Amino acid sequence: MRFLKPQDYQPEARAIYARLAKKIEDLLPNAHVEHIGSSAVDGMISKGDLDIYVEASKKFLDEYERLLLNQGFERKTDTFQSQELRMLVSNEFDIDVAIQLVDKDSKYTFFKTFRDVLKSSKKERDNYNSLKMSCIPLTQEEYREKKSKFINRILQGG
């Protein structure tokens, strides 16, 4: 695993987010778009990717997924998907860009909750950065497992 310092990836990720957020908002009029993930949180180290949260009523998800696919996004194949959570990626940029298309009434709104905890707690930002640094020698799967446990602890209030 390799992680980048905030100054080495956040400016580019944030510029791409600003551009894509406008495009997505215009394309999906009933969606709510937010910047999530480490690039949305000052001081976070990261693999250098960008995560975009797109929230909508369940009745729009099929249509919105189709519209995003028509704009060049692709379904992310190596991750969990459901009727309430659609994961899409773009290869258009120099950094990895992912969209989490989420049913607004589902449990998957936790992406925002986790981001907000990191934004409001220096202690948890430091803990998350430390966890990431400890994962440098690990495989992607091992990293995902440790990351998942950390996120679950935060979401359960621990």
Side-chain angles (χ1 to χ4, degrees), residues 2-15 35 37-49 95 125-126 129 132-133:
R2 183 177 81 107
F3 294 100
L4 302 174
K5 295 176 184 174
Q7 64 269 24
D8 295 334
Y9 78 96
Q10 284 186 340
E12 180 180 9
R14 290 174 177 181
H35 188 178
S38 293
S39 60
V41 181
D42 290 340
M44 291 303 307
I45 63 171
S46 169
K47 295 179 297 179
D49 55 348
I95 64 172
R125 282 193 307 275
D126 290 346
N129 278 337
K132 288 180 179 188
M133 293 304 292

Coordinates of all heavy atoms in Angstrom, one line a residue, residues 2-15 35 37-49 95 125-126 129 132-133:
R2 N 0.4 2.3 -0.6 CA 1.1 3.5 -0.7 C 0.1 4.6 -0.4 O -1.0 4.6 -0.9 CB 1.7 3.7 -2.1 CG 2.5 5.0 -2.2 CD 3.1 5.1 -3.6 NE 2.1 5.6 -4.6 CZ 2.1 6.8 -5.1 NH1 3.1 7.6 -4.8 NH2 1.2 7.2 -5.9
F3 N 0.5 5.6 0.5 CA -0.4 6.7 0.8 C 0.3 8.0 0.6 O 1.5 8.1 0.7 CB -0.8 6.6 2.3 CG -1.6 5.4 2.6 CD1 -1.1 4.2 3.2 CD2 -3.0 5.4 2.3 CE1 -1.9 3.1 3.4 CE2 -3.8 4.3 2.6 CZ -3.2 3.1 3.1
L4 N -0.5 9.0 0.2 CA 0.0 10.3 -0.1 C -0.4 11.3 1.0 O -1.4 11.2 1.6 CB -0.6 10.8 -1.4 CG -0.4 9.9 -2.7 CD1 -1.2 10.4 -3.9 CD2 1.1 9.8 -3.0
K5 N 0.5 12.3 1.1 CA 0.2 13.4 2.1 C -0.9 14.2 1.5 O -1.0 14.3 0.3 CB 1.5 14.2 2.3 CG 2.6 13.5 3.0 CD 3.8 14.4 3.1 CE 5.0 13.6 3.7 NZ 6.2 14.4 3.6
P6 N -1.7 14.9 2.4 CA -2.8 15.7 1.9 C -2.4 16.7 0.8 O -3.1 16.8 -0.2 CB -3.3 16.4 3.1 CG -2.8 15.6 4.2 CD -1.6 14.9 3.8
Q7 N -1.3 17.4 0.9 CA -0.9 18.4 0.0 C -0.5 17.8 -1.4 O -0.5 18.5 -2.4 CB 0.2 19.3 0.5 CG 1.5 18.5 0.8 CD 1.7 18.0 2.2 OE1 0.7 17.7 2.9 NE2 2.9 17.8 2.6
D8 N -0.3 16.5 -1.4 CA 0.1 15.8 -2.7 C -1.0 15.3 -3.5 O -0.8 14.8 -4.6 CB 1.1 14.7 -2.4 CG 2.4 15.2 -1.8 OD1 2.8 16.4 -2.0 OD2 3.1 14.4 -1.1
Y9 N -2.3 15.3 -2.9 CA -3.4 14.8 -3.7 C -4.7 15.6 -3.5 O -5.5 15.7 -4.4 CB -3.7 13.3 -3.3 CG -4.5 13.2 -2.1 CD1 -5.8 13.0 -2.1 CD2 -3.8 13.2 -0.8 CE1 -6.6 12.9 -0.9 CE2 -4.5 13.0 0.3 CZ -5.9 12.9 0.3 OH -6.6 12.8 1.5
Q10 N -4.9 16.3 -2.4 CA -6.1 17.0 -2.1 C -6.4 18.1 -3.1 O -7.6 18.2 -3.6 CB -6.2 17.5 -0.7 CG -6.5 16.3 0.2 CD -6.8 16.8 1.7 OE1 -6.4 17.8 2.1 NE2 -7.4 15.9 2.4
P11 N -5.5 18.9 -3.5 CA -5.8 20.0 -4.5 C -6.4 19.5 -5.8 O -7.4 20.0 -6.3 CB -4.5 20.7 -4.7 CG -3.7 20.5 -3.4 CD -4.1 19.1 -3.0
E12 N -5.8 18.4 -6.3 CA -6.3 17.9 -7.6 C -7.6 17.2 -7.4 O -8.5 17.4 -8.2 CB -5.3 16.8 -8.1 CG -5.7 16.2 -9.4 CD -4.7 15.2 -10.0 OE1 -3.8 14.8 -9.3 OE2 -5.0 14.8 -11.2
A13 N -7.7 16.4 -6.3 CA -9.0 15.7 -6.0 C -10.1 16.7 -5.8 O -11.2 16.5 -6.3 CB -8.9 14.8 -4.8
R14 N -9.9 17.8 -5.1 CA -10.9 18.8 -4.9 C -11.3 19.6 -6.1 O -12.5 19.9 -6.3 CB -10.5 19.7 -3.7 CG -10.5 19.0 -2.4 CD -9.9 19.8 -1.3 NE -10.0 19.0 0.0 CZ -9.7 19.5 1.2 NH1 -9.1 20.7 1.3 NH2 -9.8 18.7 2.2
A15 N -10.3 19.8 -7.0 CA -10.6 20.5 -8.3 C -11.5 19.5 -9.2 O -12.5 20.0 -9.8 CB -9.3 20.8 -9.0
H35 N -19.0 15.7 -1.4 CA -17.6 15.2 -1.4 C -17.4 14.4 -0.1 O -17.6 14.9 1.0 CB -16.6 16.4 -1.4 CG -15.2 16.0 -1.7 ND1 -14.3 17.0 -1.8 CD2 -14.6 14.9 -1.8 CE1 -13.1 16.5 -2.0 NE2 -13.2 15.1 -2.0
G37 N -15.0 10.8 1.7 CA -13.7 10.2 1.7 C -12.6 11.1 2.2 O -12.8 12.2 2.6
S38 N -11.4 10.6 2.2 CA -10.3 11.3 2.8 C -10.0 12.6 2.1 O -9.5 13.6 2.7 CB -9.0 10.4 2.7 OG -9.2 9.3 3.6
S39 N -10.2 12.7 0.8 CA -9.9 13.9 0.1 C -10.8 15.1 0.5 O -10.5 16.3 0.3 CB -10.0 13.8 -1.4 OG -11.2 13.3 -1.9
A40 N -11.9 14.8 1.2 CA -12.9 15.8 1.7 C -12.5 16.3 3.1 O -13.1 17.2 3.6 CB -14.3 15.2 1.7
V41 N -11.5 15.6 3.7 CA -11.2 16.0 5.1 C -9.7 16.5 5.2 O -8.8 15.8 4.8 CB -11.3 14.7 6.0 CG1 -11.0 15.0 7.4 CG2 -12.7 14.1 5.8
D42 N -9.6 17.7 5.6 CA -8.3 18.3 5.8 C -7.4 17.4 6.6 O -7.8 16.9 7.6 CB -8.3 19.7 6.4 CG -9.0 20.7 5.5 OD1 -9.0 20.5 4.3 OD2 -9.4 21.8 6.0
G43 N -6.1 17.2 6.2 CA -5.1 16.5 7.0 C -5.1 15.0 6.8 O -4.3 14.3 7.4
M44 N -5.9 14.5 5.9 CA -6.0 13.0 5.8 C -5.0 12.5 4.7 O -5.0 13.1 3.6 CB -7.4 12.6 5.4 CG -8.4 12.7 6.5 SD -8.1 11.9 8.0 CE -7.7 10.2 7.5
I45 N -4.3 11.5 5.1 CA -3.5 10.8 4.1 C -4.4 9.9 3.3 O -5.5 9.6 3.7 CB -2.3 10.1 4.7 CG1 -2.8 8.9 5.6 CG2 -1.3 11.0 5.4 CD1 -1.7 8.0 6.0
S46 N -4.0 9.5 2.1 CA -4.9 8.8 1.2 C -4.1 8.1 0.1 O -3.0 8.4 -0.1 CB -5.9 9.8 0.6 OG -6.6 9.1 -0.4
K47 N -4.8 7.1 -0.5 CA -4.2 6.5 -1.7 C -4.3 7.5 -2.9 O -3.7 7.3 -3.9 CB -5.1 5.3 -2.1 CG -5.0 4.1 -1.1 CD -5.8 2.9 -1.5 CE -7.3 3.3 -1.5 NZ -8.2 2.3 -1.9
G48 N -4.9 8.6 -2.6 CA -4.9 9.7 -3.6 C -6.2 9.7 -4.5 O -6.1 10.2 -5.6
D49 N -7.2 9.1 -4.1 CA -8.4 9.0 -4.9 C -9.5 10.0 -4.5 O -9.3 10.7 -3.5 CB -9.0 7.5 -4.8 CG -9.2 7.1 -3.4 OD1 -8.8 7.8 -2.4 OD2 -9.9 6.1 -3.2
I95 N -6.4 10.4 -11.4 CA -6.6 9.8 -10.1 C -7.9 8.9 -10.2 O -8.7 9.2 -11.0 CB -6.7 10.8 -8.9 CG1 -8.0 11.7 -9.1 CG2 -5.5 11.7 -8.8 CD1 -8.3 12.6 -7.9
R125 N -9.1 11.6 13.2 CA -8.3 11.8 12.0 C -6.9 11.2 12.2 O -6.4 10.5 11.4 CB -8.2 13.3 11.6 CG -9.4 13.9 10.9 CD -9.1 15.3 10.3 NE -8.5 16.2 11.2 CZ -9.2 17.0 12.1 NH1 -10.5 16.9 12.1 NH2 -8.6 17.9 12.8
D126 N -6.3 11.6 13.3 CA -5.0 11.0 13.7 C -5.0 9.5 13.8 O -4.1 8.8 13.3 CB -4.5 11.6 15.0 CG -4.1 13.1 14.8 OD1 -4.0 13.6 13.7 OD2 -4.0 13.8 15.9
N129 N -5.3 8.1 10.2 CA -4.0 8.3 9.5 C -3.0 7.2 10.0 O -2.3 6.6 9.3 CB -3.4 9.7 9.7 CG -4.0 10.7 8.7 OD1 -4.5 10.3 7.7 ND2 -4.0 11.9 9.1
K132 N -3.8 3.8 8.6 CA -3.4 3.7 7.2 C -1.9 3.5 7.1 O -1.4 2.6 6.4 CB -3.8 5.0 6.4 CG -5.3 5.1 6.2 CD -5.6 6.4 5.4 CE -7.1 6.4 5.1 NZ -7.4 7.5 4.2
M133 N -1.1 4.2 7.9 CA 0.3 4.1 7.9 C 0.7 2.6 8.3 O 1.7 2.1 7.8 CB 1.0 5.1 8.8 CG 0.9 6.5 8.3 SD 1.5 6.8 6.6 CE 3.2 6.5 6.8

